[in-house]
Amino acid sequence: MSDKLTTEISQTTETEIRWRGQDLMTDILGKRDFAETMYLLMTGRFPEPWERQIFDACLITLMEHGLTPHAIVSRLVADSNPDQLQIAMASGLTCVGDVFAGTMEGCGRLLQEGLKSDDKAQWCHDTATAYRQERRPLPGFGHPQHKPDDPRTPRLFEIAREAGAKGHAIGLLEEFGKAVDTVYGRHLTINATGAIGALLLEVGIQPEIMRAIAVTSRAAGLTAHIAEEQKTRSGRRIWTLVENEFAYTGP
């Protein structure tokens, strides 16, 4: 067995650049869009048209979400390092995680587990009950602003079904959502990250890499915030506002 390091992603020679075996100049540039090419690099193949449509919708959905911690951090760092915008962008992206934008990974893992169950209704009830009793955050559910439902979720499901997804993961998430409402005794919306977790499973993306989709998506949105920061210099005002809002309570 060879101990030589290998990669299947790209190869460059004096005259060629190939990504997953595809010639960049003749097979990709001018023929494939961003979503298709990202899917190719991740999976080793171009997506089918229905997969591309769903994957593109996932990339767009989390691109921008207002003045969230991601955007605020990026603006503050851009103010501190105005000539190093990559630092501002990277700083904002560190906020993608279990609280903001990254919970499709946890929801995807849940759904992947549920899809293996022979009795999905029982799995839904038991899983919802376990999360309720253990007081654990339920990945893919709840939203501080969108109530009673996240408007992005039904639209994402609609896009996926119209595109031609089989709908196994989507259907399970919907069934799980009903079980959650029953067990919790109140309605918890399936948020956009939960919906995206289901859609990414539909197009063959595994939970372990799902959060990277959120990072890629949010990077595009942060570009807009940094561009605006360069014009408005809001970072300094945010800093002043926060400083003035804090009251000293020490000795």
Side-chain angles (χ1 to χ4, degrees):
M1 181 177 178
S2 173
D3 59 356
K4 187 174 181 179
L5 296 173
T6 63
T7 180
E8 298 179 351
I9 297 175
S10 65
Q11 180 185 30
T12 302
T13 68
E14 291 182 352
T15 59
E16 284 187 320
I17 300 173
R18 289 188 172 273
W19 295 351
R20 294 287 191 178
Q22 304 290 324
D23 188 284
L24 176 61
M25 271 56 70
T26 62
D27 300 326
I28 299 176
L29 290 177
K31 296 182 178 180
R32 301 288 185 169
D33 62 24
F34 182 90
E36 289 176 297
T37 306
M38 183 176 178
Y39 190 95
L40 166 72
L41 291 173
M42 290 173 59
T43 68
R45 66 175 178 87
F46 285 119
E48 296 296 324
W50 68 272
E51 292 174 313
R52 187 212 64 78
Q53 187 175 351
I54 293 171
F55 188 59
D56 188 58
C58 291
L59 282 170
I60 291 173
T61 300
L62 295 179
M63 191 178 293
E64 166 57 16
H65 201 50
L67 289 171
T68 57
H70 314 80
I72 294 170
V73 167
S74 286
R75 287 171 181 254
L76 289 171
V77 175
D79 178 64
S80 300
N81 296 276
D83 297 324
Q84 300 291 329
L85 62 84
Q86 75 279 7
I87 299 177
M89 183 174 290
S91 299
L93 291 175
T94 62
C95 295
V96 175
D98 293 338
V99 176
F100 295 105
T103 57
M104 71 276 292
E105 176 184 338
C107 189
R109 290 183 189 277
L110 270 182
L111 295 175
Q112 193 175 57
E113 175 189 328
L115 288 169
K116 298 175 184 177
S117 174
D118 294 328
D119 188 339
K120 292 179 174 50
Q122 190 64 49
W123 176 87
C124 287
H125 178 270
D126 292 347
T127 302
T129 300
Y131 270 84
R132 175 66 167 166
Q133 292 177 344
E134 296 167 15
R135 298 180 178 276
R136 286 186 289 162
L138 195 56
F141 284 81
H143 196 279
Q145 182 177 2
H146 297 308
K147 301 178 185 300
D149 289 301
D150 189 326
R152 297 167 293 182
T153 297
R155 179 58 180 147
L156 286 168
F157 289 167
E158 181 182 34
I159 289 170
R161 285 180 166 131
E162 289 180 351
K166 292 181 179 179
H168 298 316
I170 294 171
L172 178 59
L173 181 55
E174 290 175 324
E175 185 176 358
F176 185 47
K178 294 176 182 177
V180 166
D181 288 355
T182 299
V183 170
Y184 281 64
R186 58 190 174 91
H187 179 58
L188 292 180
T189 184
I190 300 171
N191 59 42
T193 54
I196 289 173
L199 264 64
L200 291 177
L201 284 179
E202 296 283 353
V203 299
I205 304 298
Q206 297 304 302
E208 292 76 14
I209 199 66
M210 285 182 181
R211 189 169 292 183
I213 309 302
V215 172
T216 302
S217 176
R218 193 49 60 91
L222 290 182
T223 303
H225 281 276
I226 293 170
E228 187 173 78
E229 169 63 25
Q230 292 172 344
K231 296 177 181 179
T232 64
R233 300 300 178 188
S234 64
R236 192 62 55 93
R237 294 176 65 188
I238 293 171
W239 167 28
T240 302
L241 177 64
V242 172
E243 187 175 48
N244 290 338
E245 285 297 314
F246 271 82
Y248 177 70
T249 59

